[in-house]
Each structure stands twice: as structure tokens, then as C-alpha cells.
Amino acid sequence: MGPPRSKKRRPTFRRLLKTSGVKLENKLKNRTLKQQNVAKKQRKEQKKLRAAVKDAAIRTPRPLETYRNRPEEEEEEEFLETLPTDMMEEDDVQQMTAMARQASFITRDLSACGPVHGGKKRSADAVRSYEKVPRKMVRTEETEVIHLLPIKDQRGVVPQSVERVIEKQPEEEEEEEEEEQAAEEPEQSENEMASLTAEQRETLRVQKINDRKLVIASLGSAVVSDPYRNIKRVKELRGMLMESDPSVAVTVRKLVMVSLMEIFKDIAPTYRIRPLTPEEKAAKVKKETQQIREFEEGLVSQYKFYLEDLEQTIKDWKQQKKKRRQAVGFDSYRGLAEVSVRCLCSLLLALPHFNFHNNIVVVLVPLMNDADKQVSQMCCDAFRNLFQQDKEGGASLAAVRVISGLVKRLNYHVRPELLRTLLSLRIKEVQMKKDMEDTAPTKKFMNNKEKRKKLSRMQRKWKKAEEKLEKELLEAEASESKEKKIKLHTETLNIVFLVYFRILKKAQKSVLLPAVLEGLANFAHLINLEFFDDLLNVLQNLIQSGDLTNRESLHCIQTVFTILSGQGDVLNIDPLNFYSQLYRMLPRLHAGAPNDDIIIVLRCLDAMLTRRRKQVTLQRAMAFVKRLSTLSLHVLPNASVGLLAASRATVHAFPRCDLLLDNEVQGSGFYLAELDEPEHCNSQNTALWELQPLQRHYHPVVRRLALHLSHGAPSEGSAALGALSRKSPAELFNAYSVRDMTFNPPVAPPGSKKKDRFGFGASLLDAELQGRVDNAMTTAAVATETQLDFNAAHLH
Amino acid sequence: LASIKRQKLEDLSVDEFLLSGFDSAGEGDSDEEKGKATEHKEQLSRLKNKDPEFYKFLQANDQTLLNFDDTDTSEDEDEKKYHRLPSALEEAGSGDDDDDEDDDMGQKASKKSKKAVETIKVTDKMIEDWKAAMKKEPTPRLFREVTQAFKAAVATTKGEGGAQCRYKVADSSVFNALVLFCIRDIYVALQRMLNLKPDKDQKKLVLPSSSPKWQKNQLDVKMYLSGVVQLLSCLTESTVISAVLRHANQLAPYYLCLPKQCRHLVKQLMKQWSTGEETSRVLAFLALNKICRHKQETYLNPILKQMYISYVQNCKFTSPNVLPMINFMQRTLTEMYSLDTQATYQHAFIYIRQLAIHLRNAMTMKKKETYQSVYNWQYIHCLYLWCRVLSSLHPSDVLQPLIYPLCQVIIGTMKLVPTSRYYPLRMHCCRALTLLSSSTNTFVPVMPFLLEILQQVDFNKKPGRMSKKPINFAVILKLSKVNLMEKAYKDGLIDQLYDLILEYFHTQASSIGFPELSLPTVIQLKAFLKECKVANYCKPVRQLLEKVQENSSHITGRRQKAAFGVADATAVAAWEKQIKEEGTPLSRYYSQWKKLREKEIQLEISGKDRMEDLELPEIKRRKIQEKKVEDKKEFKDLFESDSESDSDDGELKIKGKLRLTYAHSPIEIGMPRSFTCGTVL
């Protein structure tokens, strides 16, 4: 499309559209290119997923050990091991290549820093020279500061206590520091200090720390008050990370780390900073723009160095651990590393949009599996929070990718907690049949040739303008972002499922299985249709192997029925086996077992009986109702309430269940309570007699529900439930939870204002006690008559 | 002091007040049982943040108490006394011009002693004379002389106060004769002197203050009664104590007229009731019961409070010898609680809530120390006491609502640390629940907790070591690791499970839902029989299974013929009653078994006594000692916080708040105070 030849030819409405045709065209081209790329990738992933599941279905469960021996089985998954740079969107990749790749703080190749940063050479050199200093320094003061750290840990408030107003910072931190100083041993082996007494040294140290604090505070407040002009101060502040005075090094470093973290959180812009192209650089700009550019440049480089420092600290700690277990200064290393991890975690949460976020993810993910419980806990929490608050989905995707890579690299020898963080993903909606559509090439409404044939020129022009207009409108509505989000979510979930399926396939005996089953149950409604068959087979095998705990089996059943109640209803499978499984399991779930299993039962029941009422026979429903009410005799009150409510829902779904309320024999056979087949236990020939003891239950709500059920669950009348009926069984279960020793409903006031009379006159309630009383009286009377000796008292 | 606190409270905003109210509520509840006040306060404040729900619950319940109290004005007055000042008991009587009179009397006495400078020495002859004169005609003058002599005699036990008396008792035989004469004859003489007819019907007590001669003789009676209390406090031999207690019992009406003396007497009675020999315990209880019965409004609440505290204090160690005493205290306390169910509701409510708060702390903190505050004998005995109270006072509309929280606390206690080391504790809880459930006709799930034991223990595993002695589950809460390896442990476990299951099913044997109730048990027992290879264990289990199944099919058969539906509650009740009267296979078997079992237990006890005389196994002893140390620590924790708080200003402030928030419950405040007195005792 060439430039317009003359103004006459252009349709008038085109004036309304301000964007040039070329630009739109380019955009469109870019997008299709991108889409194609993504689609390709997705197809590849889907293929892998399918392969994984199919394999899992076919293969018999193999213990983990066998797998461990030959880990290099597959090559197809290599994409997971690659760094996150190649998983980003194209524009992200550009940025990363420009800024991060050359001098990634992961690779730490400082000499190769690109031309982006102005004064970078000097600073790089400076960093390198610092490199040597801290380790030596820390080692020299290792002995003195051992006691310093636990205090800091216990407080655990450092990141929070530093407020935005940096002027306040020293005061707030002072208290902490005071404690640290107090705890610190005053002896110092430094030569210069040798001449001083312990007290003098201590005061000197206090003074030094105060000085440093003042410096930190002034630098910090300078930066925050005018970041554009004072970005250089950050560098000075960062220089203090290399504090060389052994008596205060650890404290000062920690302070600087935390202060810098707060400063970066404060001054980082809400957009990602991208490097300037050479043309942009060459072009002349206004003074203000120039200033902003300088600021951005400085910020990015300083942020990068700061992150590198943090990472190095962690690395030092790790290596130290391996080299010498009994290292003297281990504690101070550890403390520093913990503070760094904490800083990284809070940056992970605070600046997910900013540069280097992926690098933070890459550093933190392996730490989730760290041997140190505190560190791994911290990281797991951070990721859980990240998943929960991530609205865009991009950060989650990056994290999930790295996690999946880690899981695979470590051969599934990871903590279950790591996998459990995935449960926090905020994924509600994905493109379900995406892969199906995407595999077929997209057809345009009309290609150019057809258009040319069928439409007149004027029409074609109108059409073109319309399309353009639509596109712009879409952009304006930002509906694209939603689409993008769903795309990200789909991709994230695919990776999650890939991890899950792989574990199901390869590591069925591993400790991760419960987490996997729980995850599957959680995201079951988002699983794609084509996996159903295989997945059902795998779950069936698992559950029939008998190795699973109750809870795991319940998760399996929940997964199956969530799938079937979603888009799986087209499958038309009768999962009779799973019904029998649950039915068999029910008597084992009494109050002796963990109470939380019941909530899963309630969820399953909802999917199995209420939602699938069309596919369930009356026999089965009645058998379930009977067994549920039997079970409710043997569980904690909130579980009782939940189960009775579930029976109630079933009774409503199958009105013919009222057979269970009469005492009449229907047809032949006796009810076989112990038989584990819901279809064949003749449940029509029994009645819900257990509702009678339940009406004497100690818990008021159970009594009420039992009465309600025994009257056939009416919606009005004296036995009606009222407000209770509006809650689902699971809600009721949670509402009456007894976990915290709360009393819901509250304990009632005395039943009547009258006093009850017990016993008559002077006689006692307990006949035996009365006997003893009488007996004692006579013995005492006899004793009084005989000669008694009071002298024991007298002589006393 | 109190008014200052009140002002401070007024300054608080509503929110603050509520918060502090919660804080202090928890504080006050656990004061007498919980340790280091500050630590506890921290816990509570944390809890408050964590669980606003419970806080709401507390409020709701306070509300109920408030409403309740408004209607009952007589008790309100009573309460004010208790809540006004820490030394409520001392204060209560000061309305009367009691103390002034006392002083007067003292002055008079001293004047007299100044007049007759030389003290008269009491001789046997004098006593004989008094005795004869008393028989003939008791006059106030004579009574005064005897009283003076008695006072002198009692004063010798103190060692120093004898100087002020008119008489002097130097000889021990004279002392003996005098005291004996007093406790034999004085009551009758007094009755005659005051012209009091022995009460015709037992129900009403004739108070001596109704006599016209009372005013004149009041001082002497007072002196005499103080003497008796003083005497009681220094006696050690049990028969003698019993004799004096009987005398005090006779004199109860007199004590009732003199509040100060009565309070002293109650103190002594409390000591005897909780720590004395058997007969003295019984007599002390009788006296306490008499006092409460006849002057409920003044004495019932403080006495109940003190008795409960003494009970808690005295049940921290449990051994075969102490168990009957604890049992006795439980039963007598039940009697006391039966006097006024409205008051009992409040006591029970507050103490059960206190237990619940302890449990809650343990649940949320998940630390060993907090477990210890629940997993101890005191806690378990308290649970059992309340089960007993609620069961004995069963058809009571007033107490009925308390069954629910109590059950929940007991079940929560079982579920707190459900490990095998605490199986004995779980069994105690199951027993308590069975008792409560059977006698209040309430359904409580007990079986799951027993079945869990059956499920968890591998009975096939060979025991690691043989043991000399069977484990007595009745007197332990926790098994040692060594115990868990012993054969005796598994033997005992099967025995206990058999007993407990049978006992529970016996209480439910005629329930129409029995087949459903027993279904998981039947399944579990069958599974057990399938797996267990030890014949000794299989035999009782098989027997049990047979009986349960027999009963189950009996009920199934009977109810199939029934003509009513599930909804017909009255018909079901009638049906169950009929079945119960007819007897079921299980109940028949149970009564048979029970007889055998009791005999066995008798034998066991006598055998054990003998064995314990001979040699106490080393392990056991060590354990007991350990437990003692532990318990002592606990006890400190449980009860010392109060005395701590006395010294601490901040604590006092909280107490002040507490006083207001709980101004409507009669128990809260006076108790820790009077309790401190108790420990001084």
C-alpha cells in the first residue's frame, strides 16, 4: 500500500481516523506474527501434555527410584530448563537482551556491560574491587557478631518498620540496633581496639553505628525527596554495602540493604524502563526529557547492582555452607543472607512490573526448596502471595515456568510445599478449547481475491475503514488486556498441568502425590477435554491400587467429578466405580480421622448426587443418604451438620427418598448395611432410624437438622430450617467448625428462671453418700462418749 | 481503690472498654489456674486479634449472664459485696457492729483481768462442779465461767495468748476433761439456757437468735464458738477432730447467727473437707452443707467457690489411694451444687468456659507448655466433676444448656494430642462422656475415639519387653515410651477398650438407632479379627463383636415390626422404653459381666495394695516423681498468677476492669482472693 496519491481519492471519513494506515498495518502484522509464535508454542505444549498423560495412563505406576537412575530420558522438555528470557513476550525479550543479558546479575559477567549505562565502567570496576573486600572483612569480624542475628530474626519486622519517610528511619531502627548492640559481645580482636576497654569499645561502636545511620538517613532522604536529581546518592548508599569496619559491618550492611529496598520500592516508576535505541539517543531532546532519561538509566543500573549484591550475599552463604560447615562466621552470613532473601521477596511482591523481575524469580525459586526451613518458608510465602495478587498473569507465568523447570531438574525431589504454592494461582478462566481451534489454521472471512471479486471498490474501502475502526475501538476498550490475561493464564495452567501429569506418570510413589491430587482437584474444572479419558484411567488405577490415604482418594474422586460436572458431561461415562469407592470409604471417616476430610466429601457429594441427579439411580441415592446419616452419628458436630445438610440436598433432589422415612418393606431383600455396593444393598428396605439418636445430640444445630430431616425436610412448618437452609453443606461445615474451640451457636442461658429442686429436706441426693454421712455421725457420737485424748493438741 | 479504678474505666472509650473487658475476662477466668500473668496476657491479646469470633462469643455469654442477674436481685446484693473489694469476705460482715462488740468484749475482759489480777487455776474439782451445775440448771453466769475456762484451755494450744484469761489450764488431764465436758454437754446446756425447743420438723432450723435471751448471752456464745474453731484448727488426731466436728455440726445454728465466727468455721471445715481423714471429711461436708442450706444467700456462693478451688488444688496427684478421696469430693460437691441450680449454672458456666479457654490456648499455641496446661489431672478431674454434676442433676432445665459446651470441651481435649501416649487420658474422657451421655439421655459420639485406638495400634507386633506389672489405667494420664513397648500395655489396652465399648453400648443398647450406632464398630472389629494373630486379644474382641451383633439384630428385628415412622418421636420414645424394660441381649450380658468385673477389680485392688507394700517398681516411682515435679510446676502456673498480680500495679488495673465487666457474675472476683487465703492456710 503506497502513500495516497491525492487528497481527492481519500474517503472523507478517513479524516476521522488519525492513525496512519501504515502504522496500523505494521501493528497488525506484528500481532499475527506473535500469535503464530505463541500458537506454535502452545501446540507444542499441548502435544507434550497429551503425550505425558497418555503415557501415564498406559504405564503402570513405577516407583520413583527407578526413574532416578535414568533421568535423561526425555529431551523434549528442554525448553523448561532455559532461562526465563526466552519465555517472555517479544518486547520483553528485546529489553532483556539489551540490558539484562549482557550484564545479567545472574551471569554476573560485569566486564561485558553494554553501552547503556553512562558511568558504568567505573562502577563496574568499583564493584569488582568491592568483590574481594566484603568476604575478607566479614571473616575478620565473624567472631564478634555471632550473637547479633537471632534478635534480628525474632523481630522479623525490619522491612515493615522502615517507612517511606526516610528521615524517620533511623529512629525506628535505632531501637532494634540498640538491642543488637547490647547483645553483641564487646570483645574485639582488632589491633587498634586492643588498647581500649570493653566499655570504650562498645561506646565507640555505638557511635559508629549512629554515624552510619545518619549517613544512611541523609542519603536516603535526599534520594526520596528528589529522585531525579539525586539518583547518584543511591550509588553512594550502595557503596556502604561494602562497609569495611568489622565492628559494625554486619549491622550496617543489613541496614543498607533494607533501606535500599525501601528506596527502590519508592522511586521505581510504574512502568518498565526500556533502553534507548541509538536513534533516540542521537535525537535532540528537551532538557527535562534528558533528565528523566538519565534518571531512568541510573535507576536501572543501580537497581541491577543492588540485586547483584543481594544475590551474591545469598550465594556466599550457600557456598560457605558447603565449604566449611563449622565456619565461625556462619551465623552472620546466614543473617545477611536471610535479610537479602527477605529484601528480594518483598521486591518480588512490590515491583512485579519492573525490570529484572524475572531475575528475582530465578534467584528465589531454588530457595523455595532450600534446606533451611525459614528461608524456604519465606520464599514459598512470597510466591504464594505473588500468585494471589498477580492480576495480569505475567509474573505468575514466569514464576510457574521457573518452578516447573526446577521441579524437573531436581527429578521431583522437592518439598511438597513448593508444589502447594501453585494452589494459590488465581486462575478462574482459561481458553478451554483453544488448542483445538488453534491447530486448525484460522480462516479469514474473505481473502483478498474473493473480496476483489464480490465487492465494489467503494465497498472495499468502506470495509477496510470499518475494520480499522473496530480494531481501534477494541484497543480503546482494553479488551485486549483481558484476552492477553486469559492467554497467559492458559499457558500458566498448561505448565502446571504438565508438572502434575509428569508426577502422576513418573513419581506416583513420591511425597508430592497428595499435593498433585489436591492441585488437580483444585483446577479440575479447567482441564481440557481431551485429557479426560486418560486422566480418569490414571485416577481409577491409583484409587484401586489401595495405596492412597483417605484424603488422597477423596481428592481423586473430587477431581473426577469436577471434570464430569463441567464440560465433561458430554462424555457420558457412568463413573459407578467412583461412587462405590466413596461409599466404601464413608464409614472410615469417623471422628477418629481428620475432620477436614469431610469437607472434601461434601464437595464430592454435591457433584455426585445433586448435580448429576439425572444420571444417578434412586437406589444409589438412597444408599448414600442412609450411609451419610449413619456416618453423621460418628463425626464431630460440624461434620454432622454438613453431612445431614448433604442428605437433605439429596432428599430434595430425589423426592422418592421419603421411602426412608417410612417403616414399610418395599419389595424383597433386607438392607445390608455392611455391603459396599450402593446399588445392591437394598436401601429401600431400611429407615433413617439414626435420626432419633441425632435428635438427642449434644449440639443444638445437629438436633435441629435431624428433626428437620426426620420430617422429610419440609420447607415450612415447625420442622423447617429457616435461615440454615440457605447455606450449602460446605458452608455449614465451616460455620460450625470446632477447630478453635469456638462455640457456635453460643451457649444458651439457663432454660428456666426457676430453681430446680433436688432432694427433699436434709437428705442427700446420693444414697450411698447419705449412708456414709449417717455412719460418720454415729462413729463421731460414739467417739465423743468414749474417752478421748486431746493432749496431742494440747502439747502441740 | 475500687473507685479509682472505676474512674479510670469511665475514661475509656467503648471500644477500649470492650477490648479490655475481653482481656480481663480471659485473665480473670484463668487467673487462678494460669501461670505467669504477663505471658498469659500476651497470649490472650494475641488470641483476641486472631479470633474475633470467640471474643464475640464471650460477649454474648456475658450478655446472658447480665440478663440473668438483673432478674435476681437477692443475689445482686450478694454480688456487690464480692465485687466491691478483694477482701470481700472480710468485708461482708462489717455491716453488723460485730467488730466493735468484739473490741468491747476484749476491753471488758482486760478490765476484768486487771481487777482479778491473779488468774484462777482450773482443777478437776471445778470441772466436776460445773458439770453438775450444768446438769441441774444452766445459768448465764455459769456458762460464762465455763466459756472463760474453755477459752483459757484453747489458748494454751496457741502458746502465747493465755495471759489475758481469767482461768488457767496447766494440767493436760484437766484440759482433756474440760474439753470433753464442753463438747458433750455444752450444746444441750445452751439449748436449755436459751429455751430453744429441738426442732420438730427437720426442715426448718430454729435459730438461737430468735430466743429472747440471745442478746444477753451473745458475747459468751461468740467467745465459745471462736474457741471451738480455734480448737479445731490445732487438732491433728482424726477421732478427736471428728468429735469436735460433730460438736460444730450441732452448733451450726449458732454459727449461722454469728457471721464472723461462721467464716472462720467455714475455713476450718474447708480444710478438713479437702485434706482430712475420711470421717472428718464427711462431717465437715455435713456442716458445710448445713450452713449453705440454711443461709444460702450469704454462704452458698463463696462456699461453692472455695470448695471448687480446694477440689482443684487437691486433685493434682492421682493414685489408687487418693482416687476415693477425689471421688468423695466430686460427690459432695455435686450435693452442694444441687442446692441451687441457678447459682450452679453460673459457676459451671464460668468454670467450663475457663476450661475451654485453656484448651483454646493449647490449640492455638501448639506448644508443649500449653498442652501441659490441659493434659493434667486437675483438668481431667474438673471435666469429670462437671460431667458428674450435670449427670446427677439431670432433668434440670437450668443446667441442660451446659451439656453442649462441656461435651465440646471434652471432645476437643481428646483431639488435642491424639497420640498413643495419651490413650489413658482419652479413656478418662470417654468414660466421662459415657457417663454424661447415659444419664442425661444425650447423644455424644464416643465410639470413634475408641475405634481410632484399635485402628492405630498394631496388636500383632511383638512387645519389646516384658513387664512385671499390669498398667493401672485409672491412675495414669500418659504412658511413657517404655510403657508403649510393654506387653502389659497392649493387654491393658484391649481390656480397657473392651470395658469402654461394652459400657458405652450398654448405655445405648435400647436405642432404636443401635444398628447404625454400631455399624462402624462392627466393621472395625471384623477387620481387627481378620488381621490380629494373637489369640488372647481375639477372644474378647470376638465375644464383644458377637454381643454387639446380637443386640443389633435384635433391635433391627424389633423395629421392623414397629408401626410408626421415623418422625414419630413419642412413639419411638415409648418403644425404646419398652425395649429397655424387656432387656436386650447386650444389657443382660452387661449386668452379668459387671458383677464379675467388680469382683475382679476388688481382687486387683487388694492384690495391688499388697504388692505396693512389698516393692514399688522403680520405673513407676520415678514416673510419679516426675509427674509430681511437673504438676507442681503446673500448679504454680495455674494458681500463682493471682498472688503475683497483687504486687503488680498494672495487674491491679486489669482486675479493676474485670470487676466491672463481671460485676454481674457473682463468682469472678472474690474467688482468687479468697483463694490466696486458701493457700496461706
Side-chain angles (χ1 to χ4, degrees), chain A residues 476-509:
Chain A
E477 276 172 17
S479 66
E480 200 205 21
S481 78
K482 199 189 170 195
E483 226 169 75
K484 191 178 158 197
K485 183 176 140 191
I486 287 184
K487 211 187 288 166
L488 286 173
H489 278 175
T490 314
E491 204 174 329
T492 312
L493 208 62
N494 276 340
I495 298 173
V496 171
F497 281 136
L498 192 65
V499 172
Y500 284 165
F501 292 160
R502 275 216 202 97
I503 291 172
L504 275 185
K505 178 176 150 195
K506 295 199 191 109
Q508 287 198 351
K509 293 277 182 333

Side-chain angles (χ1 to χ4, degrees), chain B residues 92-154:
Chain B
S94 68
D96 325 351
D97 36 3
D98 209 11
D99 293 286
D100 304 4
E101 279 180 39
D102 245 11
D103 289 348
D104 284 353
M105 192 178 69
Q107 281 167 10
K108 273 180 208 164
S110 60
K111 270 175 206 161
K112 266 177 202 163
S113 67
K114 267 171 203 164
K115 273 176 198 167
V117 182
E118 73 285 15
T119 49
I120 305 159
K121 202 173 171 185
V122 183
T123 59
D124 282 333
K125 175 79 174 38
M126 284 165 77
I127 295 172
E128 287 302 318
D129 289 348
W130 282 332
K131 205 184 258 182
M134 276 288 191
K135 281 251 164 65
K136 217 161 88 196
E137 177 66 56
T139 62
R141 192 184 161 73
L142 180 62
F143 180 67
R144 173 164 295 168
E145 276 171 12
V146 175
T147 307
Q148 295 282 356
F150 183 71
K151 189 187 168 199
V154 172

